[in-house]
Amino acid sequence: MSSDIAGGRSADRRAEVVTSLVESLRAAGCVFAEEEAELLSGAARDDAHLAELLGRRVGGEPLEHVVGWAEFCGLRVQVGAGAFVPRRRTEFLVEEAVALTRPGAVVLDLCCGVGALGAAVAAQSPGGVELHVADIDPAALAYARRNVAPYGGRVWEGDLYAALPPELRGRVDVLVVNAPYVPTEEIGLMPSEAREHEPLVSLDGGADGLDVHRRVAAGAPEWLAPGGHLLIETSARQAPSTASALTSAGLRVRAASSEELYATVVIGTS
């Protein structure tokens, strides 16, 4: 980063740069222009790079794609163009999962995207875990490999359970899933940042939004250890249907919610 941007040569110069950024971001409709300006200036190597980053953000790219990371459960999770950005509400799923994770547990993050859930559960679990993450999207897994590496995480590519090695069958203690659950016809109602810059496979849950939930639930008993837990993020509206899918798979089911994060998680226990 140039000394101008970093503030090493002139605090006044840096203030001018940030002020200019704020004005450009506000004009583009960015609600948190001040915070975004600080992040962009911090990510830039020099003035030319800063101009490039600003152009991408003003052009509608998610801020996390532009700066290359997202804050999630206190971690700086690497993301980039074409990757699903982990949402803050999903931190509630991590909280619920950590409460169920014993030292040395086998943790599987299915539909992992960039591996944010798996990394966060591993980071918050005293005693460590045996971490596995899996997804069908090779672009997302490129980021997942970097995000789970500090925890010894192993990365598998494929469609749901077909990605997994046979030796995991019947051994998973905690299975965390943030699968797509937006109904197909509602994709058009999502913010343009998601619609235009995140992969459709990470957003589209089928006609009622729960196609992947049903597939995850149906296959879970084969992979869960005795007493193992499956945690799936869903919406308050869809929670009864998600719970029904887990019940049909033979799991003992309960739901948990957070008013603060507007988050709902359905938990099934084998």
Side-chain angles (χ1 to χ4, degrees):
M1 185 187 305
S2 73
S3 58
D4 279 353
I5 296 175
R9 182 166 64 190
S10 168
D12 289 341
R13 165 60 179 155
R14 186 177 190 283
E16 291 175 4
V17 169
V18 171
T19 298
S20 177
L21 288 173
V22 169
E23 292 174 354
S24 297
L25 291 166
R26 281 179 177 163
C30 297
V31 177
F32 303 104
E34 291 82 0
E35 292 86 344
E36 293 197 16
E38 292 289 344
L39 290 170
L40 289 172
S41 64
R45 297 186 298 270
D46 51 39
D47 288 343
H49 189 219
L50 179 59
E52 176 191 339
L53 298 182
L54 176 62
R56 291 173 58 191
R57 180 59 182 139
V58 169
E61 285 192 49
L63 176 67
E64 295 83 358
H65 285 181
V66 175
V67 300
W69 59 274
E71 183 178 350
F72 184 74
C73 290
L75 302 178
R76 184 174 284 202
V77 177
Q78 294 188 42
V79 299
F84 179 82
V85 177
R87 308 322 197 222
R88 182 165 181 260
R89 64 173 173 270
T90 308
E91 294 182 355
F92 180 64
L93 189 156
V94 172
E95 178 183 328
E96 292 292 311
V98 169
L100 298 170
T101 302
R102 58 173 176 76
V106 176
V107 175
L108 170 62
D109 180 359
L110 198 62
C111 303
C112 72
V114 299
L117 274 72
V121 172
Q124 295 184 32
S125 298
V129 301
E130 178 186 327
L131 177 62
H132 299 263
V133 303
D135 199 279
I136 198 171
D137 182 1
L141 291 180
Y143 295 103
R145 287 185 177 89
R146 298 197 287 271
N147 290 323
V148 304
Y151 314 102
R154 300 180 67 185
V155 178
W156 309 100
E157 181 181 341
D159 184 19
L160 297 183
Y161 302 106
L164 304 178
E167 57 265 27
L168 267 185
R169 188 173 282 109
R171 292 187 57 236
V172 177
D173 298 300
V174 178
L175 170 53
V176 294
V177 182
N178 184 20
Y181 56 91
V182 179
T184 301
E185 64 179 16
E186 296 180 18
I187 295 292
L189 303 177
M190 298 186 71
S192 60
E193 288 185 12
R195 287 187 286 105
E196 297 176 9
H197 297 283
E198 293 181 327
L200 186 61
V201 69
S202 69
L203 305 175
D204 191 348
D208 66 352
L210 301 177
D211 284 359
V212 183
H213 284 196
R214 282 186 283 269
R215 293 180 59 208
V216 168
E222 180 181 353
W223 296 89
L224 288 175
H229 307 283
L230 163 62
L231 300 92
I232 301 185
E233 179 177 292
T234 189
S235 69
R237 171 173 59 90
Q238 294 163 304
S241 296
T242 298
S244 178
L246 271 62
T247 300
S248 296
L251 303 178
R252 186 171 70 254
V253 179
R254 65 182 175 89
S257 61
S258 167
E259 292 185 6
E260 177 187 359
L261 295 177
Y262 301 100
T264 301
V265 175
V266 173
I267 304 167
T269 302
S270 65

